[in-house]
Each structure stands twice: as structure tokens, then as C-alpha cells.
Amino acid sequence: MAVISYIDAVTMAIREEMERDPKVFVLGEDVGKKGGVFKATQGLYEQFGEERVIDTPLAESAIAGVGIGAAMYGMRPIAEMQFADFIMPAVNQIISEAAKIRYRSNNDWSCPIVIRAPYGGGVHGALYHSQSVEAVFANQPGLKIVIPSTPYDVKGLLKAAIRDPDPVLFFEHKRAYRLIKGEVPTEDYTLPIGKADVKREGEDVTVITYGLCVHFALQAAEKLAGDGISVHILDLRTVYPLDQEAIIEAASKTGKVLLVTEDTKEGSIMSEVSAIIAEHCLFELDAPIKRLAGPDVPAMPYSPTMEKFFMINPDKVEKAIRELAEF
Amino acid sequence: MAIEQIKMPQLGESVTEGTISKWLVKAGDKVNKYDPLAEVMTDKVNAEIPSSFTGIIKELIAQEGDTLAVGELICTIETEGSTADETPANTEKPAAPATEDQSKAVSEKEQGQKARYSPAVLKLSQEHGIDLSQVSGTGAAGRITRKDLLKLIESGNIPKAGQKVEPAPSAAPKADEMPASTARPEPAPAQGQPSANIPVVPGDIEIPVTGVRKAIAANMLRSKHEAPHAWTMVEVDATNVVEYRNSIKDEFKKKEGFNLTFFAFFVKAAAQALKEFPQINSMWAGDKIIQKKEINISIAVATEDALFVPVIKNADEKTIKGIAREISELAVKVRAGKLRPEDMQGGTFTVNNTGSFGSVQSMGIINYPQAAILQVESIVKRPVVMSNGMIAVRDMVNLCMSLDHRILDGLVCGRFLARVKEIIENISKSNTSIY
């Protein structure tokens, strides 16, 4: 099994799906000749040509809209938003059209589109290149939101998203692109959307998180293991709709739950996870549910000091776990 | 002026709550520091709460009859002239009181946290019948964590209501060593049990089981449950003791100011015999038996509605007079409700004066975790066939002994009783001094 980076897993999944199914095509800003600003689509233009790897104008609503239309006509578009921050002009297309068409047409129409977008901070990208936008879409039934943490999960989940009969938002942490490496099988496989994954077994404190924060939690857990604190880590992988069963099981296991997201705290994915635990696990809880999240300010700051203050890191996670363990 | 708070103090190691039996002050009263504020009854002892401040009683928060957890507010005191104390002018004040205050605050907080149970802890304690008041927590500020309970359950050393906490679960038997039928935790006995289904009709009086009564119930139950009791009795001719004591009792009372009781002779005889039979002066400790070096005799002292067992320490080193004095003092303390927890600690063997209320034979329950209890019955005049074949009227007394058959067997107890009998029967003015 080859060890590859997170972004190479993205490219691998798209390439394999395009090879497998001629209906799969890519569209987005600079995805063609340039191979994407992060090089996620590198080599695809050369391999599949301009008909299947389409450079679009700087108009996100058009990228989404064209993709949605093609999907409704039976194609399997993979639309790229250059940064998740820029998805806002396409929100109307995604929420009002893609999410609702199956319901609205009484199952006559569907919209099997994947919209990929790099999200997240810690790369000195400031406010237009650092945001987490998943919560904006996380109360829209009809949508699925996948946020993988490892290259293995990227490949399996992106393939599953492309084959999914309904719209999937696929958010990739841009800092994870070249930071996170892992073993990825060269053969074809998919992972189930809607299923969370236990990334580490533990007894004392449960951490539930997703995306890059999974790695922060794993690092913190490794450090805490030396002090005899055993941490259980659940990676949500799909943040909407949530894997309630896995959340309840993980929370009940230790009775002490830390929820970590890089997004701003109020109304985040973790607010919903917290509500699920509160609804189902009251008599298993041994401590108040604890959330570690970004501060409720409009955006990630540019100043490195302030960005560091905003971002989650292993030290913050470690401190929060320790507090819970000692509670 | 400042308002200070008086809280329920910790009146013993494992005491978690106390009942205000009587207020000794009322709002508006002026009190000095250390003045008694209220009488408090705990399941171990009755005590007075002293004032921590000098000032005016502002408000009595707790009512008589209220049972409060340790650390709960019972009243407030308005202290005088404390404004001056609080001004920064008072900076030459050493740092010590501040740290004292701090530690006090911390311990109060600890008490608060200990009694705050998470849903998971409450659920586990109910499922397994765990008496949380006896569990020590490892969480923040002494909070009991879910893990604390899981460890307890795993170890099988589940503290039921009325039992003492075993701080080191390692010594306790493991659940898997027990027979399957007993491995499952039983519901907590005694006060843990909800009221039995006894119909109450008008005219019946319901008396809540609290404080000392609760402790008696729990201790008796525990002893009967855990220690297999065996029983034996010897008949002792106490004629010599009776003659001796009656000949000096009036003079003794005049000279010493307290009564020379028969009981003192028996306690002394028991202490002396214990020295010769150290096996009897021992305790059951699970995987071992501990023979105690000190001979500390617990004596049972009854009040109208309760029973206390204060301790005569090192009874073997005391004279009959010394023992008589202690019996007298302890009885006075019990009746005045002034017994302190330390008066009741450290007993290694119990002598019970059942004769004082006319009993001639009784089966005592061992004062857990001691190995045996000796009941001194009434001295009664009876016709006895003497060794020379004559029938004589003698002062006879039965000595009854209950023994924990895990620790002791009949033989050693028989020898012990025979020795006590020998000592008693040979007491006389010529060979025994009470001093």
C-alpha cells in the first residue's frame, strides 16, 4: 500500500471514477490546464481532455448551477469551489435546487452532484481563505456533507460521494492537503457516507470531532496516554446527517465528552452533536458536555498571533481533555 | 460589620451529615468565639457546634430537626468591627490566616463537590446499591466519578449503607472469588432499604430512623450478617465479690465521690484474662486476624432510646477504682450527650452490663469488628451445692459470651471464661486491692 498525501488521494479518487464512468466530469475555476490552485485536479485535463475537465468563469453560482443541471440530466459532475469561503454565491443553487429537487419532483428528478471545496484555516489565508462553512448547510435535508480526515477516508468517501444519487458537499481541509499522509490502497473501494469512524479506542474521555481536528486529537491523546489518560476518538466523517448511533455509543462509553471543531462555536456542527448526546445519554454522562471551538468572531484573523489564538491545536485539545479527565 | 456564615462542621471521619437537635442561641443573641451555638446529632455522636466568630446571631437558617450535609449553612453571624479588619491598613497581619481561610474555602468546596453526583454516577449507584456517602471520589474537588464506581464494582467491594468505607479495595475479596449467587450485589441493607410494607393505622406512631438509631441498626446488622456468632455461658460464684464490695462501698462513695460498682470488678477481671488470652483480643481483617496489643474495653451504656459503647483505654493497666471512675465518667457523658467520637474509638473487646436491668442470660451481638462480647448478668442469690456437699445460699452470676467463630473456637473461649470465673471467685478483701 502506498503512502500518499491527502490531496493526492483526492486526485486519485477523481481519476479512478472518471476512468470508471464516462459520465463523471470536473468543472471549476482553474481546474483544467492549471490543475487547480491546490493541484487537486493535476493531470486530469491531460488525461481526459477539456470536455471532461472544464475551466469555468469566476462565478460560483454558475459552477453550481451548471453542475446541478448536468446532474439532473444524468451526468455525474464534480464541481470545485476554489475555496469554501467562495461557495456563498452558490448557496441558493445548492440549497434551493440541489437539495430539494428529489423531494420537489416527487422522486422524478435527482441531482447526483459532488461539490468539492477546500475549507479551514491555519494557512495564513485570512478571512476569505480560512473559513469553515459546513454549518451553513447542516440543516438542509437533501444534502449530505462529508469532511474526511485521512487520505484513506478521502479516497473511499469521495468515490462514494461521486456514486451517491444525491448532492454531496465534500469539504477538504486545505492544511491537511500536504500535511497529512497515509496509506491508501490502489484498488477501488468506497466508504459508507453517514457513518462515523472510531480513530482511537479509549476509556477515560471521548473526543468527537472531524477533519483536521481529528489529527490534533490523536496527537493530544498520544501525549495524554503517557499520563495514564486514555482517550476515545470518534471521527464523524459525515457531519450531515450525523451518525447518531455512533455518537451515542462513543459518548456513553466514557461519560465525559469533548466536542472539537475549528468552526466558530455557536450553532456549529458540535452544537447538534451536543444536543444528540443530551437527548440520549443523560444517564451516562459523568461530566458536562464540553465544546472546544473557534471564538464567535466573524472570521479567521490574518495576524499570525491572532490566527493561532483562533485555531484549534493539539495543546488546546490536550488541555481540554485533561480538564475533563480530572473532573 | 460583616456577615459570617456558620456551616455544619465535620464531626468525625466518616460523618457526612448532622441533625440540629437543639438551638442554644436565637437571632439577636450576642455570642463569643467558641460559644456553643447548637446541639447536633450525627450517626456517631452528639456534639455542640461552637461559634467561629464573636458577634450577633443574624439568622438561624437551619431548623431544629433539620438534617444537613457537612458544609451546609446553618446560621449567619454579624461580626463587629470587622470593617477595620478589612481595610488595607491591616497589612501587617501575617499571611497565615489568609492561607487558613483559603484551605477552609477549599475544603468547603470539596464537600460541595463530593455531594454533587453526575447522572452516570447516580445511575450506577442505584443499579449496584452503592452508598455514595461512603465512596471517596478522585475527581476534581473530591467529586465521585463514574470511573470510581466502575472500579469499585469491578473490585466487588461495594460499600452498602451502614458500612465503613474500605479505602484500599485491594484487600477486599474479588467479585470473581465469590460464589456466583453472592457475586451479584444485593440491595443495600438497613437504611438503604425503603420502608417495609407495614400498614400504618391511625394511632400508630411513626418514628424516623435517624442518627444514632440508624448507626445502631447498621452496625448490628453488619455484625450479625458477617460474623458467625457462637454462644457460651458460665456460672460464677460472686459471693466473695459481693461481700467485699458491700463492705467498702459506702466509705468509697464518701471518699471518692462516685460509686464502686460490681461492673468495675468484672471489667478488671476481663482485662486481666484478656492479657493471658490475647486471641480473644483480636479482630477479623478479611485475609488475616489482627491481635491487638492494647486492651481497650468497650462498655455498653444505654440511654432511653439509644445505646453507646464508649471505651476504657488500656483497662489492663488500671485499678478497679480507676475503671470504676471511668465507667462513672463515661456514663455521665453519655447521659449528658457530651460523648465525643474519640471516646468511642479503639475498643478491642466489649463487656456489657446486662445485669443492670435484671437480665440473667442474654445473647449479645458482637461489637463489630471485635472478636467477642462478654455479658455480665444479674447477681442473684441461689441455693448451690458446695464442694463439701452442703447446700448454701450464694450470690451467683452468669457470664455469657458471644464469639465470632471465624476468629475463635469454643476451647479458647471456655478457657478464657474459666479464667475470668477463677479471678472473680478468688477476689477477696485480703488478696485484692481496689486501688
Side-chain angles (χ1 to χ4, degrees):
Chain A
M1 228 186 299
V3 172
I4 64 171
S5 65
Y6 188 100
I7 195 166
D8 289 342
V10 174
T11 318
M12 184 193 276
I14 297 173
R15 177 180 290 115
E16 286 180 15
E17 286 306 291
M18 289 181 79
E19 286 167 350
R20 184 187 61 81
D21 182 353
K23 290 199 177 91
V24 177
F25 72 101
V26 173
L27 73 164
E29 295 157 8
D30 295 325
V31 296
K33 247 188 157 149
K34 185 174 167 63
V37 289
F38 290 100
K39 304 287 183 193
T41 51
Q42 192 165 32
L44 299 181
Y45 179 85
E46 291 73 17
Q47 184 176 346
F48 301 103
E50 60 180 11
E51 300 258 298
R52 293 183 70 194
V53 186
I54 303 167
D55 278 322
T56 65
L58 296 183
E60 283 77 13
S61 66
I63 298 169
V66 167
I68 289 165
M72 287 170 68
Y73 267 89
M75 298 298 284
R76 295 275 170 167
I78 304 168
E80 180 182 301
M81 299 288 151
Q82 200 164 70
F83 286 86
D85 315 62
F86 303 149
I87 205 170
M88 298 311 161
V91 166
N92 182 48
Q93 292 290 337
I94 296 166
I95 291 179
S96 302
E97 309 301 340
K100 293 179 173 54
I101 190 64
R102 182 183 288 280
Y103 185 84
R104 186 179 140 207
S105 68
N106 198 23
N107 227 9
D108 283 347
W109 294 85
S110 64
C111 183
I113 187 176
V114 175
I115 300 175
R116 290 179 43 249
Y119 82 103
V123 295
H124 313 304
L127 85 170
Y128 283 129
H129 301 82
S130 303
Q131 294 175 56
S132 300
V133 300
E134 58 274 17
V136 172
F137 301 96
N139 70 338
Q140 298 300 328
L143 283 184
K144 298 188 182 86
I145 308 174
V146 174
I147 307 185
S149 65
T150 66
Y152 177 83
D153 289 355
V154 165
K155 181 176 170 185
L157 287 166
L158 184 51
K159 282 175 159 254
I162 293 165
R163 297 177 198 181
D164 196 276
D166 290 298
V168 176
L169 298 183
F170 197 90
F171 292 121
E172 301 150 10
H173 200 290
K174 64 179 79 72
R175 197 168 155 224
Y177 270 157
R178 301 193 185 278
L179 181 72
I180 306 300
K181 296 184 174 64
E183 290 189 338
V184 177
T186 43
E187 55 268 29
D188 179 46
Y189 68 94
T190 61
L191 294 170
I193 293 174
K195 290 282 171 208
D197 182 43
V198 175
K199 286 286 194 282
R200 186 187 172 104
E201 293 276 356
E203 304 296 331
D204 293 331
V205 175
T206 297
V207 177
I208 302 178
T209 184
Y210 57 91
L212 184 63
C213 291
V214 170
H215 298 280
F216 298 155
L218 283 166
Q219 285 169 44
E222 197 56 44
K223 211 166 154 193
L224 287 161
D227 295 343
I229 297 171
S230 153
V231 182
H232 189 80
I233 298 175
L234 183 73
D235 177 4
L236 290 173
R237 298 203 297 200
T238 299
V239 301
Y240 187 82
L242 287 163
D243 184 353
Q244 300 212 11
E245 206 178 316
I247 291 167
I248 291 164
E249 192 188 328
S252 302
K253 185 166 187 207
T254 67
K256 292 178 170 182
V257 190
L258 174 66
L259 308 177
V260 186
T261 178
E262 185 186 314
D263 197 0
T264 51
K265 188 172 185 178
E266 188 170 335
S268 66
I269 297 292
M270 286 315 166
S271 303
E272 183 61 26
V273 175
S274 172
I276 290 168
I277 296 169
E279 277 178 350
H280 296 277
C281 308
L282 177 64
F283 296 108
E284 310 301 332
L285 287 180
D286 194 33
I289 300 166
K290 193 179 180 75
R291 283 183 293 165
L292 179 63
D296 287 311
V297 296
M300 183 88 62
Y302 181 63
S303 150
T305 323
M306 294 304 288
E307 183 184 46
K308 202 176 159 199
F309 172 78
F310 189 113
M311 275 296 287
I312 303 297
N313 60 42
D315 289 345
K316 289 181 185 178
V317 179
E318 184 195 330
K319 184 165 167 281
I321 296 174
R322 206 179 279 280
E323 280 171 16
L324 268 182
E326 287 166 0
F327 181 80
Chain B
M1 303 284 256
I3 307 291
E4 300 287 356
Q5 300 184 332
I6 301 287
K7 291 174 178 168
M8 178 64 71
Q10 178 105 31
L11 294 164
E13 295 156 45
S14 60
V15 174
T16 57
E17 58 178 34
T19 305
I20 306 277
S21 46
K22 192 177 170 193
W23 274 110
L24 303 172
V25 294
K26 57 184 189 298
D29 281 3
K30 185 177 182 330
V31 292
N32 290 316
K33 197 171 180 181
Y34 307 125
D35 280 358
L37 297 175
E39 284 179 3
V40 178
M41 187 170 74
T42 72
D43 54 10
K44 279 207 161 167
V45 73
N46 293 338
E48 285 174 348
I49 300 182
S51 176
S52 313
F53 310 96
T54 297
I56 310 276
I57 300 291
K58 174 95 178 147
E59 191 188 357
L60 304 183
I61 309 281
Q63 304 295 313
E64 285 183 6
D66 283 1
T67 301
L68 294 106
V70 168
E72 273 191 64
L73 184 61
I74 62 166
C75 74
T76 52
I77 294 181
E78 199 165 356
T79 55
E80 292 171 271
S82 41
T83 18
D85 279 3
E86 281 158 14
T87 54
N90 212 354
T91 44
E92 76 277 8
K93 215 173 175 184
T99 49
E100 212 174 87
D101 282 356
Q102 253 170 24
S103 66
K104 195 177 146 211
V106 167
S107 76
E108 275 164 10
K109 200 180 154 209
E110 278 177 14
Q111 290 310 320
Q113 285 296 327
K114 191 176 185 306
R116 285 175 68 192
Y117 305 128
S118 73
V121 164
L122 280 177
K123 182 174 161 231
L124 280 172
S125 72
Q126 283 161 13
E127 282 175 0
H128 296 270
I130 299 170
D131 181 1
L132 289 175
S133 65
Q134 298 183 34
V135 179
S136 52
T138 61
R143 192 185 73 91
I144 298 169
T145 66
R146 189 175 90 142
K147 226 182 162 190
D148 290 337
L149 293 194
L150 291 175
K151 273 187 191 157
L152 266 185
I153 293 163
E154 202 186 336
S155 77
N157 183 29
I158 292 171
K160 304 282 175 63
Q163 292 179 352
K164 277 254 187 188
V165 213
E166 311 290 346
S170 55
K174 289 276 190 300
D176 54 2
E177 288 167 11
M178 295 188 214
S181 59
T182 59
R184 204 182 65 80
E186 298 156 355
Q191 72 255 50
Q193 255 170 10
S195 48
N197 205 4
I198 297 165
V200 178
V201 298
D204 292 355
I205 300 169
E206 285 184 73
I207 300 156
V209 175
T210 55
V212 177
R213 193 75 250 157
K214 202 153 100 179
I216 292 171
N219 290 337
M220 295 299 172
L221 191 65
R222 182 175 195 198
S223 179
K224 266 291 199 183
H225 263 292
E226 287 189 26
H229 283 54
W231 186 80
T232 179
M233 179 176 91
V234 294
E235 214 177 15
V236 178
D237 185 340
T239 313
N240 290 343
V241 176
V242 171
E243 275 172 16
Y244 181 24
R245 182 257 184 181
N246 287 348
S247 70
I248 57 171
K249 69 169 186 184
D250 293 336
E251 193 196 337
F252 184 93
K253 175 81 195 244
K254 211 181 291 170
K255 215 158 71 180
E256 308 292 348
F258 55 91
N259 290 326
L260 177 64
T261 55
F262 288 122
F263 190 52
F265 288 87
F266 288 97
V267 171
K268 177 66 192 173
Q272 197 181 326
L274 282 172
K275 196 79 201 168
E276 296 165 32
F277 294 89
Q279 305 95 306
I280 312 279
N281 198 50
S282 58
M283 292 178 183
W284 183 259
D287 54 349
K288 55 182 177 267
I289 291 166
I290 299 168
Q291 259 182 31
K292 301 300 285 185
K293 183 166 138 281
E294 290 188 359
I295 293 176
N296 299 332
I297 305 276
S298 302
I299 58 167
V301 180
T303 63
E304 279 307 313
D305 51 4
L307 179 69
F308 296 88
V309 275
V311 176
I312 299 172
K313 302 226 162 68
N314 299 310
D316 57 322
E317 297 169 8
K318 289 175 178 153
T319 60
I320 294 171
K321 176 202 153 188
I323 290 171
R325 172 201 285 283
E326 271 200 54
I327 292 170
S328 161
E329 284 172 355
L330 289 170
V332 167
K333 269 190 183 176
V334 167
R335 279 162 201 142
K338 296 264 164 73
L339 207 59
R340 292 162 303 155
E342 54 266 36
D343 291 329
M344 299 202 286
Q345 282 162 7
T348 59
F349 182 82
T350 300
V351 183
N352 191 3
N353 191 13
T354 44
S356 65
F357 43 81
S359 167
V360 292
Q361 188 174 322
S362 59
M363 298 171 71
I365 294 177
I366 297 162
N367 185 7
Y368 191 92
Q370 297 172 9
I373 183 168
L374 186 71
Q375 317 267 101
V376 180
E377 306 293 344
S378 273
I379 299 172
V380 291
K381 285 198 186 301
R382 273 197 286 142
V384 176
V385 178
M386 304 299 284
S387 53
N388 57 10
M390 303 265 289
I391 292 177
V393 174
R394 305 292 290 179
D395 291 297
M396 299 303 290
V397 61
N398 292 332
L399 299 182
C400 304
M401 185 155 141
S402 298
L403 50 126
D404 182 343
H405 220 320
R406 293 175 302 182
I407 307 175
L408 300 171
D409 298 317
L411 183 68
V412 65
C413 293
R415 283 181 180 157
F416 169 76
L417 282 176
R419 179 62 185 138
V420 175
K421 177 184 165 86
E422 190 186 354
I423 294 168
I424 295 289
E425 293 186 343
N426 286 308
I427 286 176
S428 71
K429 199 166 198 163
S430 58
N431 68 7
T432 313
S433 169
I434 57 162
Y435 294 105

